[in-house]
Amino acid sequence: MFIQTFKSEGLSHLSYLIGNNGRAAVIDPRRDCEVYAEAAAAEGCRITHIFETHRNEDLISGAPILAQLTGAAVFHGPNAAGTVRYAKTTRESDEFNFGNLQLRVLETPGHTDDSLSFVLYDTDFGDDAVAVFTGDALFIGDVGRTDFYPERSEEVAGLLFDSLQKLVNLGDQTLIYPAHGAGSVCGDNMADREFSSIGYERRNNPMMKIPSRQEFINRKVQEHHYQPPYFREMERLNMEGGRATSSILTPAALFPDAFKELPDQTVIIDVRGISSFLGAHIPDSLALPTPMIPAFAGWFLNPDDKLALVAASAPEAELAARHLARIGFDRVLGYLAPDMPQWAAMAEPFRAVTVIDLEDFKKRRAAPPENWRLLDVRGKGEVDENPVDQASHHYTGTLAEEASELDPARHYTIMCGSGARAAIAASVLMRRGIRNVDVFLGSVGALMADS
């Protein structure tokens, strides 16, 4: 019997290959799914079953693609707000056996109506659960968000509370394998580790320690989460079934002459680190450092956009394209080669963004210049916890829509938790004609360290 974890960085998505006796199953596969077949073969197993814990909003499911690749059957929960075209429905107490490995289905709604957990038993050693794959119902350090049904907010929060009690009843010894880890948009306070148990979470997870169902509901309905526009496209694709990614995800290398000939309306995405973007970037490019693509690309891009990348290397361009493909952005035409300095060396235009440090920031706040305005682009929860005087709040993701509210004649200093989101925000404003911007690097982190 084996369990192998696959982590999709950026999305912090966790998927699993489990197997025994020559047969294997995959739980919540990602879109670029050849890795599961390769891993199963290395274990001497054939993939016969694919399970989905719920309909994902933040990535394209690889279940229908892996089913075509392996011939395995896909199983999804009931109440999926429509027909999941590529899957069979599985329900409470259904059992699947792989030698002495048994998976038993628990319906655990709340995060979504179709949420399932899969409980693992070793039929050769007692009747207690060994582990549970909890999807987005229970995380390590947190529980699933319940904001996808706003008209039923109290009802679904109550359903999640009930689902968590079902998981607790599996016993303290049960290991937890969630569908997302720290950094995911599916939760706020996940622990930065990928292992835990029901007993540990029952005693230490703040949400699991809430004894009253009504108190739990009250806490959940007060939470604030953001829903990027691309979530709707993910929901559609994960009902109909997405198509496979390209077998080669490394974009074509385009030297400056070819890069300048890209079609009109091509969106140039600078995936380098923020210091590189701030120092020199192609005019009107969008700053999206590679690790931040999963969290923010869906706010600013449309699925049919033609894209071109500015990357520090071919491997960075490949990883950026992979992140984009996992959330449905496939039309990457190429990347600037060999690098941005070559572009500048050929006398091509570029821009930079002024960066200010803590001392300059303190001076501006003490004596604000004429027409100066401070923008805080952190999330609402962060702002509520650590507000900054004089700052106007515009979340990074929604800034593109809200830019029309800003006066292009003003001078804007942008801040966030560390400076990374502020750099993204600066690029968004500059693409919309607001040029007089600078970035407070260090932001709230520097302020707190100075206090």
Side-chain angles (χ1 to χ4, degrees):
M1 183 187 298
F2 65 89
I3 302 174
Q4 186 171 347
T5 303
F6 298 82
K7 183 173 183 178
S8 301
E9 298 291 347
L11 285 167
S12 295
H13 169 246
L14 301 170
S15 54
Y16 304 93
L17 175 72
I18 64 173
N20 188 31
N21 201 32
R23 299 168 65 213
V26 178
I27 299 174
D28 289 329
R30 66 196 186 201
R31 187 184 183 195
D32 47 326
C33 58
E34 295 85 356
V35 62
Y36 306 108
E38 294 168 357
E43 293 284 353
C45 290
R46 178 172 63 91
I47 296 172
T48 58
H49 293 70
I50 302 165
F51 299 104
E52 293 189 308
T53 57
H54 64 294
R55 182 195 65 197
N56 277 287
E57 286 80 16
D58 64 325
L59 76 160
I60 297 175
S61 170
I65 303 160
L66 187 60
Q68 292 178 354
L69 187 65
T70 62
V74 181
F75 295 89
H76 195 99
N79 308 312
T83 301
V84 182
R85 297 182 182 178
Y86 54 85
K88 302 177 181 179
T89 300
T90 187
R91 294 180 168 84
E92 182 92 10
S93 300
D94 285 351
E95 296 178 356
F96 301 87
N97 294 282
F98 307 82
N100 63 305
L101 183 162
Q102 182 185 84
L103 279 186
R104 195 175 301 166
V105 178
L106 279 184
E107 293 183 21
T108 49
H111 171 67
T112 60
D113 285 341
D114 58 347
S115 290
L116 299 177
S117 294
F118 296 95
V119 190
L120 186 150
Y121 295 87
D122 183 344
T123 57
D124 283 351
F125 290 91
D127 299 325
D128 291 336
V130 174
V132 59
F133 300 89
T134 57
D136 282 9
L138 173 60
F139 299 123
I140 298 172
D142 199 4
V143 300
R145 57 191 285 185
T146 56
D147 60 309
F148 294 120
Y149 310 94
E151 71 285 356
R152 299 166 50 212
S153 58
E154 293 196 7
E155 176 196 352
V156 294
L159 289 173
L160 182 60
F161 180 88
D162 298 338
S163 295
L164 295 172
Q165 307 320 301
K166 293 171 73 172
L167 293 171
V168 166
N169 289 337
L170 296 174
D172 285 355
Q173 81 290 339
T174 309
L175 302 176
I176 294 171
Y177 292 93
H180 286 93
S184 167
V185 297
C186 297
D188 287 333
N189 302 299
M190 299 181 208
D192 190 13
R193 52 188 161 84
E194 295 167 19
F195 53 91
S196 192
S197 66
I198 291 292
Y200 188 91
E201 294 306 305
R202 182 176 59 79
R203 290 189 292 269
N204 296 284
N205 186 319
M207 296 302 295
M208 296 286 282
K209 292 166 68 176
I210 299 174
S212 158
R213 189 176 193 269
Q214 189 57 53
E215 182 182 350
F216 182 91
I217 291 171
N218 294 342
R219 285 277 297 274
K220 293 302 290 181
V221 299
Q222 290 170 9
E223 289 180 351
H224 184 275
H225 298 277
Y226 293 97
Q227 294 190 33
Y230 88 100
F231 274 19
R232 305 289 82 79
E233 180 69 5
M234 298 300 95
E235 291 173 357
R236 181 187 69 80
L237 288 174
N238 290 337
M239 298 290 285
E240 299 177 1
R243 57 184 176 81
T245 62
S246 169
S247 58
I248 300 175
L249 284 173
T250 302
L254 303 176
F255 280 74
D257 286 346
F259 202 83
K260 290 190 296 181
E261 297 302 318
L262 288 167
D264 292 341
Q265 309 306 313
T266 298
V267 180
I268 299 174
I269 305 176
D270 195 319
V271 302
R272 300 172 300 157
I274 62 166
S275 59
S276 297
F277 175 84
L278 295 171
H281 62 266
I282 294 174
D284 295 329
S285 56
L286 175 65
L288 278 179
T290 298
M292 302 178 76
I293 286 173
F296 289 103
W299 286 103
F300 308 120
L301 304 178
N302 297 309
D304 58 350
D305 282 342
K306 296 182 178 70
L307 310 175
L309 310 180
V310 177
S313 64
E316 183 175 69
E318 189 275 340
L319 181 56
R322 188 171 297 276
H323 282 327
L324 289 164
R326 287 173 178 164
I327 56 176
F329 301 106
D330 291 327
R331 305 183 70 182
V332 180
L333 305 182
Y335 77 98
L336 177 64
D339 49 32
M340 186 64 194
Q342 178 70 18
W343 177 271
M346 296 182 67
E348 298 296 342
F350 66 89
R351 289 202 173 105
V353 179
T354 300
V355 174
I356 66 170
D357 61 13
L358 180 61
E359 291 305 312
D360 284 336
F361 183 70
K362 289 163 67 174
K363 290 176 182 177
R364 289 189 185 179
R365 294 179 73 198
E370 185 178 358
N371 265 347
W372 178 74
R373 189 174 179 185
L374 175 62
L375 297 184
D376 186 341
V377 297
R378 294 177 295 160
K380 182 178 184 300
E382 297 170 276
V383 173
D384 290 344
E385 184 175 354
N386 288 300
V388 176
D389 292 342
Q390 300 172 271
S392 173
H393 179 229
H394 290 270
Y395 175 60
T396 310
T398 59
L399 186 59
E401 295 180 0
E402 298 168 3
S404 60
E405 303 172 15
L406 304 180
D407 182 354
R410 286 183 178 270
H411 171 195
Y412 295 96
T413 293
I414 311 172
M415 64 172 295
C416 64
S418 64
R421 286 171 292 177
I424 296 174
S427 74
V428 170
L429 294 185
M430 294 171 73
R431 280 168 52 82
R432 280 155 180 76
I434 300 175
R435 306 294 187 191
N436 194 8
V437 299
D438 50 42
V439 168
F440 171 32
L441 204 59
S443 295
V444 171
L447 287 175
M448 293 178 66
D450 186 61
S451 62

PDB file of all heavy atoms in Angstrom, residues 139-156:
ATOM      1  N   PHE A 139      -8.744  21.595   6.132  1.00  0.00           N
ATOM      2  CA  PHE A 139      -7.341  21.831   5.817  1.00  0.00           C
ATOM      3  C   PHE A 139      -6.505  21.626   7.072  1.00  0.00           C
ATOM      4  O   PHE A 139      -7.030  21.360   8.158  1.00  0.00           O
ATOM      5  CB  PHE A 139      -7.130  23.249   5.294  1.00  0.00           C
ATOM      6  CG  PHE A 139      -7.886  23.567   4.033  1.00  0.00           C
ATOM      7  CD1 PHE A 139      -8.779  24.630   3.985  1.00  0.00           C
ATOM      8  CD2 PHE A 139      -7.706  22.809   2.895  1.00  0.00           C
ATOM      9  CE1 PHE A 139      -9.473  24.934   2.824  1.00  0.00           C
ATOM     10  CE2 PHE A 139      -8.394  23.100   1.719  1.00  0.00           C
ATOM     11  CZ  PHE A 139      -9.285  24.167   1.691  1.00  0.00           C
ATOM     12  N   ILE A 140      -5.221  21.802   6.933  1.00  0.00           N
ATOM     13  CA  ILE A 140      -4.327  21.766   8.085  1.00  0.00           C
ATOM     14  C   ILE A 140      -4.238  23.181   8.637  1.00  0.00           C
ATOM     15  O   ILE A 140      -3.662  24.073   8.020  1.00  0.00           O
ATOM     16  CB  ILE A 140      -2.955  21.211   7.685  1.00  0.00           C
ATOM     17  CG1 ILE A 140      -3.119  19.767   7.198  1.00  0.00           C
ATOM     18  CG2 ILE A 140      -1.979  21.274   8.855  1.00  0.00           C
ATOM     19  CD1 ILE A 140      -1.879  19.164   6.586  1.00  0.00           C
ATOM     20  N   GLY A 141      -4.913  23.411   9.737  1.00  0.00           N
ATOM     21  CA  GLY A 141      -4.948  24.727  10.369  1.00  0.00           C
ATOM     22  C   GLY A 141      -6.156  25.556  10.028  1.00  0.00           C
ATOM     23  O   GLY A 141      -6.341  26.635  10.592  1.00  0.00           O
ATOM     24  N   ASP A 142      -7.015  25.088   9.131  1.00  0.00           N
ATOM     25  CA  ASP A 142      -8.172  25.886   8.718  1.00  0.00           C
ATOM     26  C   ASP A 142      -9.238  24.930   8.181  1.00  0.00           C
ATOM     27  O   ASP A 142      -9.038  23.713   8.122  1.00  0.00           O
ATOM     28  CB  ASP A 142      -7.761  26.902   7.652  1.00  0.00           C
ATOM     29  CG  ASP A 142      -8.744  28.054   7.495  1.00  0.00           C
ATOM     30  OD1 ASP A 142      -9.731  28.117   8.261  1.00  0.00           O
ATOM     31  OD2 ASP A 142      -8.534  28.892   6.600  1.00  0.00           O
ATOM     32  N   VAL A 143     -10.365  25.494   7.794  1.00  0.00           N
ATOM     33  CA  VAL A 143     -11.430  24.725   7.149  1.00  0.00           C
ATOM     34  C   VAL A 143     -11.820  25.444   5.864  1.00  0.00           C
ATOM     35  O   VAL A 143     -11.401  26.569   5.607  1.00  0.00           O
ATOM     36  CB  VAL A 143     -12.654  24.560   8.076  1.00  0.00           C
ATOM     37  CG1 VAL A 143     -12.272  23.829   9.355  1.00  0.00           C
ATOM     38  CG2 VAL A 143     -13.283  25.912   8.408  1.00  0.00           C
ATOM     39  N   GLY A 144     -12.636  24.796   5.040  1.00  0.00           N
ATOM     40  CA  GLY A 144     -12.967  25.333   3.736  1.00  0.00           C
ATOM     41  C   GLY A 144     -13.780  26.609   3.790  1.00  0.00           C
ATOM     42  O   GLY A 144     -14.535  26.851   4.730  1.00  0.00           O
ATOM     43  N   ARG A 145     -13.640  27.421   2.754  1.00  0.00           N
ATOM     44  CA  ARG A 145     -14.449  28.628   2.622  1.00  0.00           C
ATOM     45  C   ARG A 145     -15.865  28.231   2.221  1.00  0.00           C
ATOM     46  O   ARG A 145     -16.079  27.209   1.569  1.00  0.00           O
ATOM     47  CB  ARG A 145     -13.821  29.594   1.609  1.00  0.00           C
ATOM     48  CG  ARG A 145     -13.607  29.021   0.238  1.00  0.00           C
ATOM     49  CD  ARG A 145     -12.744  29.899  -0.648  1.00  0.00           C
ATOM     50  NE  ARG A 145     -13.452  31.076  -1.146  1.00  0.00           N
ATOM     51  CZ  ARG A 145     -12.948  31.945  -2.021  1.00  0.00           C
ATOM     52  NH1 ARG A 145     -11.711  31.771  -2.483  1.00  0.00           N
ATOM     53  NH2 ARG A 145     -13.645  32.982  -2.417  1.00  0.00           N
ATOM     54  N   THR A 146     -16.828  29.050   2.569  1.00  0.00           N
ATOM     55  CA  THR A 146     -18.238  28.713   2.321  1.00  0.00           C
ATOM     56  C   THR A 146     -18.970  29.862   1.642  1.00  0.00           C
ATOM     57  O   THR A 146     -20.166  30.054   1.857  1.00  0.00           O
ATOM     58  CB  THR A 146     -18.952  28.358   3.641  1.00  0.00           C
ATOM     59  OG1 THR A 146     -18.815  29.450   4.563  1.00  0.00           O
ATOM     60  CG2 THR A 146     -18.383  27.098   4.265  1.00  0.00           C
ATOM     61  N   ASP A 147     -18.265  30.598   0.780  1.00  0.00           N
ATOM     62  CA  ASP A 147     -18.857  31.806   0.194  1.00  0.00           C
ATOM     63  C   ASP A 147     -19.341  31.613  -1.236  1.00  0.00           C
ATOM     64  O   ASP A 147     -19.712  32.583  -1.889  1.00  0.00           O
ATOM     65  CB  ASP A 147     -17.826  32.940   0.216  1.00  0.00           C
ATOM     66  CG  ASP A 147     -16.572  32.609  -0.582  1.00  0.00           C
ATOM     67  OD1 ASP A 147     -16.008  31.517  -0.348  1.00  0.00           O
ATOM     68  OD2 ASP A 147     -16.158  33.411  -1.424  1.00  0.00           O
ATOM     69  N   PHE A 148     -19.378  30.372  -1.729  1.00  0.00           N
ATOM     70  CA  PHE A 148     -19.789  30.162  -3.121  1.00  0.00           C
ATOM     71  C   PHE A 148     -21.300  30.133  -3.304  1.00  0.00           C
ATOM     72  O   PHE A 148     -21.788  30.069  -4.432  1.00  0.00           O
ATOM     73  CB  PHE A 148     -19.167  28.881  -3.672  1.00  0.00           C
ATOM     74  CG  PHE A 148     -17.668  28.951  -3.794  1.00  0.00           C
ATOM     75  CD1 PHE A 148     -16.856  28.065  -3.118  1.00  0.00           C
ATOM     76  CD2 PHE A 148     -17.070  29.937  -4.568  1.00  0.00           C
ATOM     77  CE1 PHE A 148     -15.477  28.142  -3.224  1.00  0.00           C
ATOM     78  CE2 PHE A 148     -15.696  30.030  -4.676  1.00  0.00           C
ATOM     79  CZ  PHE A 148     -14.895  29.126  -4.002  1.00  0.00           C
ATOM     80  N   TYR A 149     -22.038  30.174  -2.208  1.00  0.00           N
ATOM     81  CA  TYR A 149     -23.499  30.198  -2.263  1.00  0.00           C
ATOM     82  C   TYR A 149     -23.996  31.347  -1.377  1.00  0.00           C
ATOM     83  O   TYR A 149     -24.544  31.115  -0.294  1.00  0.00           O
ATOM     84  CB  TYR A 149     -24.082  28.868  -1.767  1.00  0.00           C
ATOM     85  CG  TYR A 149     -23.476  27.642  -2.407  1.00  0.00           C
ATOM     86  CD1 TYR A 149     -22.410  26.973  -1.801  1.00  0.00           C
ATOM     87  CD2 TYR A 149     -23.973  27.139  -3.605  1.00  0.00           C
ATOM     88  CE1 TYR A 149     -21.854  25.843  -2.381  1.00  0.00           C
ATOM     89  CE2 TYR A 149     -23.429  26.003  -4.195  1.00  0.00           C
ATOM     90  CZ  TYR A 149     -22.366  25.366  -3.576  1.00  0.00           C
ATOM     91  OH  TYR A 149     -21.817  24.246  -4.155  1.00  0.00           O
ATOM     92  N   PRO A 150     -23.772  32.588  -1.790  1.00  0.00           N
ATOM     93  CA  PRO A 150     -24.061  33.727  -0.903  1.00  0.00           C
ATOM     94  C   PRO A 150     -25.506  33.803  -0.442  1.00  0.00           C
ATOM     95  O   PRO A 150     -25.783  34.280   0.665  1.00  0.00           O
ATOM     96  CB  PRO A 150     -23.684  34.943  -1.761  1.00  0.00           C
ATOM     97  CG  PRO A 150     -23.641  34.453  -3.166  1.00  0.00           C
ATOM     98  CD  PRO A 150     -23.248  33.015  -3.097  1.00  0.00           C
ATOM     99  N   GLU A 151     -26.431  33.329  -1.270  1.00  0.00           N
ATOM    100  CA  GLU A 151     -27.834  33.376  -0.881  1.00  0.00           C
ATOM    101  C   GLU A 151     -28.164  32.305   0.170  1.00  0.00           C
ATOM    102  O   GLU A 151     -29.241  32.324   0.760  1.00  0.00           O
ATOM    103  CB  GLU A 151     -28.723  33.199  -2.119  1.00  0.00           C
ATOM    104  CG  GLU A 151     -28.739  31.802  -2.729  1.00  0.00           C
ATOM    105  CD  GLU A 151     -27.475  31.457  -3.516  1.00  0.00           C
ATOM    106  OE1 GLU A 151     -26.598  32.345  -3.656  1.00  0.00           O
ATOM    107  OE2 GLU A 151     -27.375  30.312  -3.983  1.00  0.00           O
ATOM    108  N   ARG A 152     -27.231  31.385   0.421  1.00  0.00           N
ATOM    109  CA  ARG A 152     -27.436  30.314   1.397  1.00  0.00           C
ATOM    110  C   ARG A 152     -26.302  30.299   2.419  1.00  0.00           C
ATOM    111  O   ARG A 152     -25.905  29.245   2.908  1.00  0.00           O
ATOM    112  CB  ARG A 152     -27.488  28.959   0.677  1.00  0.00           C
ATOM    113  CG  ARG A 152     -28.617  28.807  -0.331  1.00  0.00           C
ATOM    114  CD  ARG A 152     -28.383  27.583  -1.224  1.00  0.00           C
ATOM    115  NE  ARG A 152     -28.073  26.397  -0.448  1.00  0.00           N
ATOM    116  CZ  ARG A 152     -27.262  25.408  -0.864  1.00  0.00           C
ATOM    117  NH1 ARG A 152     -26.691  25.495  -2.061  1.00  0.00           N
ATOM    118  NH2 ARG A 152     -27.036  24.362  -0.112  1.00  0.00           N
ATOM    119  N   SER A 153     -25.783  31.456   2.754  1.00  0.00           N
ATOM    120  CA  SER A 153     -24.540  31.521   3.522  1.00  0.00           C
ATOM    121  C   SER A 153     -24.623  30.796   4.861  1.00  0.00           C
ATOM    122  O   SER A 153     -23.716  30.041   5.230  1.00  0.00           O
ATOM    123  CB  SER A 153     -24.128  32.982   3.730  1.00  0.00           C
ATOM    124  OG  SER A 153     -25.153  33.698   4.399  1.00  0.00           O
ATOM    125  N   GLU A 154     -25.690  30.988   5.608  1.00  0.00           N
ATOM    126  CA  GLU A 154     -25.802  30.337   6.908  1.00  0.00           C
ATOM    127  C   GLU A 154     -26.029  28.836   6.752  1.00  0.00           C
ATOM    128  O   GLU A 154     -25.477  28.027   7.511  1.00  0.00           O
ATOM    129  CB  GLU A 154     -26.932  30.969   7.734  1.00  0.00           C
ATOM    130  CG  GLU A 154     -26.646  32.402   8.149  1.00  0.00           C
ATOM    131  CD  GLU A 154     -27.561  32.869   9.270  1.00  0.00           C
ATOM    132  OE1 GLU A 154     -28.326  32.042   9.811  1.00  0.00           O
ATOM    133  OE2 GLU A 154     -27.499  34.060   9.607  1.00  0.00           O
ATOM    134  N   GLU A 155     -26.815  28.452   5.767  1.00  0.00           N
ATOM    135  CA  GLU A 155     -27.088  27.026   5.553  1.00  0.00           C
ATOM    136  C   GLU A 155     -25.813  26.255   5.249  1.00  0.00           C
ATOM    137  O   GLU A 155     -25.545  25.197   5.853  1.00  0.00           O
ATOM    138  CB  GLU A 155     -28.081  26.855   4.405  1.00  0.00           C
ATOM    139  CG  GLU A 155     -28.345  25.399   4.049  1.00  0.00           C
ATOM    140  CD  GLU A 155     -29.018  25.218   2.697  1.00  0.00           C
ATOM    141  OE1 GLU A 155     -29.418  26.232   2.084  1.00  0.00           O
ATOM    142  OE2 GLU A 155     -29.115  24.060   2.237  1.00  0.00           O
ATOM    143  N   VAL A 156     -24.995  26.758   4.296  1.00  0.00           N
ATOM    144  CA  VAL A 156     -23.814  25.988   3.900  1.00  0.00           C
ATOM    145  C   VAL A 156     -22.749  26.013   4.987  1.00  0.00           C
ATOM    146  O   VAL A 156     -21.996  25.035   5.157  1.00  0.00           O
ATOM    147  CB  VAL A 156     -23.242  26.479   2.545  1.00  0.00           C
ATOM    148  CG1 VAL A 156     -24.220  26.197   1.424  1.00  0.00           C
ATOM    149  CG2 VAL A 156     -22.877  27.951   2.575  1.00  0.00           C
TER     150      VAL A 156
END
